[in-house]
Amino acid sequence: MNTVPPAVTAAPLGRSGAIGRFLQRITAAALGPYQSAVIRIGFAATYLLFLLREVPYRHELYGPDSPWQWDLAHRLISENDAFTVLMWSDSSAWFEVVYALALVSAFCTLLGWRTRTMSVLFMVGVLSIQNRNVFMGDGGDNVVHLMAIYLVLTRCGQVWSLDARRAARDAARRAAGLGPARDVVGPLLWAVLGTVLLVAHVQGGLGGTWWLPTLLWLVWVGAAARWAVTRHAPDGQPRVLLDVVTNLAHNAALVMIMAEVCLIYATAGWYKIQGSRWQDGTALYYPLKLDYFTPWPALSNLIAASAVMVMVVTYATVIVQVAFPFTLFNRRVKNVLLVVMMGEHAGIAVLLGLPFFSMAMISADAVFLPTAFLVWCGARVGFGRDRLSARFGRPRSAAGRVPGPREPAGTAVAGPGGEPPQRPGDGGHTLVG
């Protein structure tokens, strides 16, 4: 009797098992909770500080006193289909309202308060201000622009956020046999923002692209569905399906952020290779001699006076940028280059006077930081905070402690504006397991 050789049957089973494990991994949980939290904090802090710095000059840069006047901006936006709520009105009062809301949403995103809602408002603020005058800014603005969009799709409030603390308190209440605290803010935010979204959609104020209105409506409807399912069927199949879809969106956005960072470095490095000044090792010398990029002239002149230093830094910059995408499969080499790149951006912030560009790039690089290192940093910060609280006589309760991804806090019955962590046992309920 003919039999199928074991090798023939083992291979398909092995492949199917690997595919099953892969699907289980990407649907069971939102991966990289600490990395996504660092990205949220980093980019929100970057844009918040940028807006605060430009407060005295906001009218000249993006407001009614800008050389790029409202009618010119309206003409350009009608051609490129960009989105900005600053085109809804040319009044100074409306500009002040939008600028203030951009500040508030950046601050709330930084704290992780109503993360899902605030990440959407943060994106709206970034797009609105940047698209009002596209001739301002630098490469860091482009990075913030893209990352603000990606953040909407992530569950970046799982750790190190006020949402996580609220979820921990609700879990403590359930453990004590109490019901969840009543949430009024979430449904109120959902209703108000839904009304604004409907009016803007009807009036044609969402730009000329199809993806932005689709994204905004999906987030709004998804928030309502999650709130309703969490309240009325927390253990049912609809909740499982919502968790799977949310996890898939988060993990896909995280992969896109990683790919974006690799693309930025790869293209920058390969373009530098083609430049004659980078080839002869003198590229760093020229920006150090430009008044616009020399906030510390004495330090810039000291570095520019050393031909060896200029050559080493020039070549090292090209090598690191070209090599980084290829080192992702070697953890040790990747971590070394990551430290070098972050140090390089810190040097750019000091030497060339580009702090927000450097903050944006360091925040983007943080997606590759090891989880163990981020957990250690979080523990150090928590230890310092607890010592300060104890010194001022306000010890922190156990219910207020922020759980990590390996210690789920349970389902917080938060409103549509919240973003609670996943429930215990969610990892075992997927579409493939």
Side-chain angles (χ1 to χ4, degrees), residues 338-361:
L338 201 56
V339 172
V340 173
M341 289 192 304
M342 289 184 171
E344 175 190 342
H345 290 304
I348 291 174
V350 175
L351 288 176
L352 303 183
L354 297 173
F356 300 113
F357 167 79
S358 298
M359 287 182 64
M361 291 308 304

Side-chain angles (χ1 to χ4, degrees), residues 11-22:
L13 290 176
R15 285 196 296 269
S16 62
I19 294 174
R21 288 191 297 271
F22 172 75

Side-chain angles (χ1 to χ4, degrees), residues 177-375:
L178 303 174
R182 185 183 179 185
D183 181 28
V184 177
V185 176
L188 180 62
L189 281 173
W190 180 83
V192 172
L193 295 178
T195 302
V196 174
L197 179 60
L198 178 61
V199 173
H201 192 106
V202 171
Q203 296 295 326
L206 297 180
T209 61
W210 64 268
W211 65 267
L212 182 63
T214 302
L215 175 63
L216 294 176
W217 280 114
L218 284 176
V219 172
W220 186 76
V221 173
R226 175 170 286 276
W227 181 84
V229 169
T230 300
R231 177 169 292 273
H232 300 292
D235 299 316
Q237 289 301 315
R239 173 60 190 270
V240 174
L241 179 61
L242 285 176
D243 285 339
V244 169
V245 173
T246 305
N247 292 336
L248 282 173
H250 168 94
N251 296 331
L254 208 59
V255 171
M256 287 298 299
I257 292 173
M258 294 178 180
E260 193 70 45
V261 175
C262 291
L263 182 63
I264 290 172
Y265 284 120
T267 54
W270 286 107
Y271 272 112
K272 286 181 175 67
I273 288 177
Q274 302 174 44
S276 59
R277 296 294 177 261
W278 292 96
Q279 292 175 7
D280 60 26
T282 62
L284 178 64
Y285 175 84
Y286 298 97
L288 293 176
K289 290 298 182 178
L290 295 175
D291 293 339
Y292 184 77
F293 293 110
T294 53
W296 313 100
L299 180 59
S300 298
N301 291 331
L302 179 63
I303 296 176
S306 174
V308 175
M309 176 68 73
V310 170
M311 182 184 66
V312 169
V313 175
T314 300
Y315 285 148
T317 299
V318 176
I319 293 172
V320 169
Q321 290 184 349
V322 172
F324 178 73
F326 300 100
T327 65
L328 297 182
F329 301 101
N330 189 310
R331 182 176 301 177
R332 293 182 179 179
V333 178
K334 180 264 294 182
N335 291 339
V336 171
L337 291 187
L338 201 56
V339 172
V340 173
M341 289 192 304
M342 289 184 171
E344 175 190 342
H345 290 304
I348 291 174
V350 175
L351 288 176
L352 303 183
L354 297 173
F356 300 113
F357 167 79
S358 298
M359 287 182 64
M361 291 308 304
I362 291 174
S363 300
D365 293 343
V367 72
F368 295 106
L369 287 174
T371 300
F373 172 74
L374 294 176
V375 172

